[in-house]
Amino acid sequence: YLGSATERQNNPELRQRAHNYAQHLIQQAQADTQIFSDGSVRGESRKRSGYGYVIRRNDRTLHSASKPLSTQSIAIAEMQGLTDAAKYVLHQLQSSRSTTFFCDNKYVVQVANDIYTCNNKHFELALELHQTLFALRHSNITRYFYFMFVFN
């Protein structure tokens, strides 16, 4: 049991267990393509937002990017980062057995995994993400996708 984010904040043992599990997952996927993505919304009026992502393989950074956005939604910032990273892999990289996406937004991970249906506000971007992943899967660039929720 890894506990909730609040439990991990207050319990050093749970925090260490979650950290060890995340390290295990990262080591397991190191030979394959890894995408680490994060979005943020800042400012008192929540008008400043953006995302960044890093694409790695075999302990090497292949590409990184960041972009400011005008959205007030953390979910949109997170999902846009994943979508743009997947597009980069689709159009710029050679084959990989699998691609693991690491994201710290549970909602976005569940939408990407088709566990949760997105709300109308995110529908177009979620559709774009799914279409990009579909194209990636059928282009023989990568065979398997894993979406990992990374604990804070």
Side-chain angles (χ1 to χ4, degrees), residues 13-48:
E13 184 181 324
L14 284 178
R15 187 170 44 248
Q16 185 61 45
R17 194 179 306 160
H19 173 77
N20 291 345
Y21 181 66
Q23 291 301 322
H24 167 73
L25 293 174
I26 290 169
Q27 287 174 353
Q28 211 174 18
Q30 279 188 337
D32 300 322
T33 303
Q34 301 170 304
I35 298 174
F36 298 88
S37 178
D38 198 15
S40 68
V41 176
R42 300 257 185 239
E44 294 202 15
S45 60
R46 296 180 54 90
K47 289 186 180 178
R48 293 177 26 183

Side-chain angles (χ1 to χ4, degrees), residues 33-36 51-57 60-66 79-96 99 101 128-129 132-133 135-136 139 141-142 145:
T33 303
Q34 301 170 304
I35 298 174
F36 298 88
Y51 69 83
Y53 66 83
V54 176
I55 301 172
R56 296 180 54 86
R57 188 184 295 156
R60 285 188 34 242
T61 298
L62 303 177
H63 180 71
S64 63
S66 61
M79 209 176 306
Q80 187 67 61
L82 281 180
T83 302
D84 288 357
K87 285 180 179 180
Y88 184 87
V89 170
L90 177 64
H91 298 294
Q92 302 295 329
L93 294 185
Q94 301 301 316
S95 70
S96 174
T99 300
F101 294 82
E128 183 180 1
L129 174 60
T132 304
L133 294 175
L136 195 55
S139 67
I141 292 173
T142 190
F145 295 107

Side-chain angles (χ1 to χ4, degrees), residues 92-125:
Q92 302 295 329
L93 294 185
Q94 301 301 316
S95 70
S96 174
R97 185 176 62 88
S98 68
T99 300
T100 305
F101 294 82
F102 293 89
C103 178
D104 65 355
N105 187 300
K106 191 174 183 179
Y107 166 76
V108 172
V109 170
Q110 289 177 330
V111 167
N113 280 318
D114 280 332
I115 294 170
Y116 188 82
T117 305
C118 67
N119 63 39
N120 288 340
K121 185 166 57 169
H122 309 130
F123 178 78
E124 286 183 31
L125 185 54

